[in-house]
Amino acid sequence: MSLITQSSATLIPAPTRHMEPTNSFGISTERLEACLASYKEDQREPIRHWFYLGKEKGWTLKQMAKATSLSTTTLSRVFRGSYGADISSVLVTLERAKTNFAEAVDNPDFIMTSLAKRLFAAFDKTRALENVTIMWGPKGIGKTEVAMEYARLNNHGRTGYVRCPGTGCTIYQFVQLLAQALKISSGNNMMVLREKIITAMSRGGRLLLVDELHEIFLVCSPVSIIRICEFLREIKDVSGCGLVLIGTEVLEKEFFRGAYYKVLDQLVDRGTVQIPLPAKPTQKDIIEFLAHFGLDLPDQQRDAEAFKMLNDILRSEGLRKLTHHLRDGASYASKIGQTYTWNHFVAGFDAIRKLSK
């Protein structure tokens, strides 16, 4: 049966020692969060937004000054809690710059599908209820793309995103990787780092997204698997943050029926919401994806070959692979200076198929 009708991942290497992701403008996240205590609650958010955005992008104070239209001296004093004068005008400038910058860095490649809407709502709810959400689904449906986009839109000190490496890791490497993701200055003392991570997630309204968690069950040692999951439970218990665990069907199997389910039961028991994700996109999602590339649904008679290719890709590999083929066809059309049509999609697909032979 056709999925459409006429009616209608890069591996992350293990972190190295002595990495200092927080030194882009000389102020650590710990220093910033301590200084925010000197500001009123409604003043903290724009300051936190720009601080973490700068950390994320590796900016210097000079680069941030250009983005915000504030001087480096003003920014430094604000981040260190030593501004002294009435900060109202500074906050107005930061809010205005935030709006302008958000419009300038919109992600044109992200499509808000029904799956994305559902995941965004689940992430918001998990943050608000401070519970644990476990979600799983087949590869290629867009889980990682959605989680990364949510983190990008909410990644200013309140949302942490870490992706478990497919190369495997020890608990020490995982702690280092998480610290790096949270923009916490790393070091060799794992216990100190654990404490910093828990402190960072304890500041209220925090959410931690752990993506590709199924990987640890496939490539890590039994000891590392248990220690990583127990550390996640410790973060949740001590900090009270929201915690979302994302993976393929392997994650569901291991958590509820696998060799470690009795150990993992303590993590599952933390007010867990279990969300199985759909294996196939809705027809509305498919139409939105195609419209993003300037295409309508292919006609089953006129575009018979494209119609079959589209259904085969969706049935066997999902939206992620379809996106690659759509981009490839669009690139081919652009190279020859023509408006993108299903003929270009077919030509690009055929070129790849010939290469694979």
Side-chain angles (χ1 to χ4, degrees), residues 102-168:
E103 292 174 352
V105 297
D106 186 35
N107 183 357
D109 292 326
F110 182 75
I111 303 169
M112 185 58 76
T113 62
S114 58
L115 176 67
K117 292 176 182 176
R118 182 180 181 188
L119 265 59
F120 271 41
F123 297 157
D124 286 341
K125 185 67 71 174
T126 303
R127 184 198 303 277
L129 297 179
E130 299 179 345
N131 63 355
V132 179
T133 295
I134 302 177
M135 53 179 61
W136 63 88
K139 65 179 182 179
I141 63 173
K143 301 182 299 295
T144 292
E145 289 78 4
V146 173
M148 291 179 67
E149 180 66 7
Y150 181 90
R152 186 185 76 84
L153 295 174
N154 298 273
N155 189 29
H156 305 301
R158 294 190 180 278
T159 305
Y161 171 89
V162 64
R163 182 174 178 176
C164 298
T167 52

Side-chain angles (χ1 to χ4, degrees), residues 57-77:
K57 295 187 173 300
W59 282 347
T60 62
L61 272 179
K62 186 175 181 180
Q63 289 171 309
M64 184 176 292
K66 183 177 180 180
T68 60
S69 299
L70 292 172
S71 70
T72 56
T73 300
T74 295
L75 288 169
S76 179
R77 288 176 177 174

Side-chain angles (χ1 to χ4, degrees), residues 20-298:
E20 295 293 340
T22 61
N23 287 340
S24 54
F25 41 87
I27 306 168
S28 69
T29 55
E30 298 92 327
R31 174 74 181 273
L32 181 279
E33 292 292 348
C35 290
L36 284 177
S38 65
Y39 295 106
K40 297 178 181 178
E41 183 63 34
D42 61 346
Q43 295 176 329
R44 296 171 187 169
E45 209 50 43
I47 298 172
R48 182 183 283 115
H49 170 94
W50 280 103
F51 179 86
Y52 281 97
L53 181 63
K55 292 297 182 185
E56 177 186 333
K57 295 187 173 300
W59 282 347
T60 62
L61 272 179
K62 186 175 181 180
Q63 289 171 309
M64 184 176 292
K66 183 177 180 180
T68 60
S69 299
L70 292 172
S71 70
T72 56
T73 300
T74 295
L75 288 169
S76 179
R77 288 176 177 174
V78 168
F79 291 147
R80 296 175 189 275
S82 59
Y83 185 67
D86 182 5
I87 200 173
S88 300
S89 62
V90 172
L91 296 176
V92 170
T93 301
L94 290 177
E95 286 287 6
R96 185 189 307 119
K98 176 182 174 182
T99 301
N100 294 337
F101 187 81
E103 292 174 352
V105 297
D106 186 35
N107 183 357
D109 292 326
F110 182 75
I111 303 169
M112 185 58 76
T113 62
S114 58
L115 176 67
K117 292 176 182 176
R118 182 180 181 188
L119 265 59
F120 271 41
F123 297 157
D124 286 341
K125 185 67 71 174
T126 303
R127 184 198 303 277
L129 297 179
E130 299 179 345
N131 63 355
V132 179
T133 295
I134 302 177
M135 53 179 61
W136 63 88
K139 65 179 182 179
I141 63 173
K143 301 182 299 295
T144 292
E145 289 78 4
V146 173
M148 291 179 67
E149 180 66 7
Y150 181 90
R152 186 185 76 84
L153 295 174
N154 298 273
N155 189 29
H156 305 301
R158 294 190 180 278
T159 305
Y161 171 89
V162 64
R163 182 174 178 176
C164 298
T167 52
C169 61
T170 63
I171 179 60
Y172 173 77
Q173 291 172 322
F174 182 79
V175 170
Q176 286 266 351
L177 188 65
L178 182 52
Q180 183 181 351
L182 296 176
K183 307 298 184 293
I184 294 172
S185 53
S186 61
N188 295 327
N189 191 319
M190 186 174 73
M191 296 308 296
V192 171
L193 273 185
R194 288 167 67 107
E195 189 64 33
K196 285 184 177 181
I197 290 170
I198 291 173
T199 299
M201 299 308 297
S202 300
R203 295 186 177 112
R206 266 39 177 197
L207 178 69
L208 178 58
L209 306 177
V210 184
D211 195 12
E212 306 280 11
L213 185 60
H214 64 276
E215 291 285 2
I216 70 168
F217 297 99
L218 299 175
V219 295
C220 292
S221 69
V223 170
S224 294
I225 292 171
I226 293 173
R227 287 179 175 175
I228 290 171
C229 290
E230 285 294 279
F231 178 48
L232 291 174
R233 181 171 69 89
E234 180 184 3
I235 294 173
K236 171 68 191 74
D237 284 353
V238 180
S239 74
C241 69
L243 176 64
V244 180
L245 310 177
I246 308 168
T248 65
E249 297 98 326
V250 171
L251 185 66
E252 187 268 343
K253 171 182 174 293
E254 294 295 343
F255 260 86
F256 302 109
R257 301 184 302 282
Y260 312 99
Y261 82 94
K262 289 185 178 180
V263 176
L264 298 175
D265 185 59
Q266 292 193 70
L267 179 56
V268 173
D269 193 44
R270 264 52 184 180
T272 301
V273 176
Q274 301 170 23
I275 305 179
L277 301 174
K280 301 298 179 184
T282 65
Q283 179 150 314
K284 182 179 178 182
D285 288 342
I286 297 170
I287 291 173
E288 289 190 13
F289 257 78
L290 300 182
H292 184 73
F293 290 89
L295 296 172
D296 294 321
L297 282 173

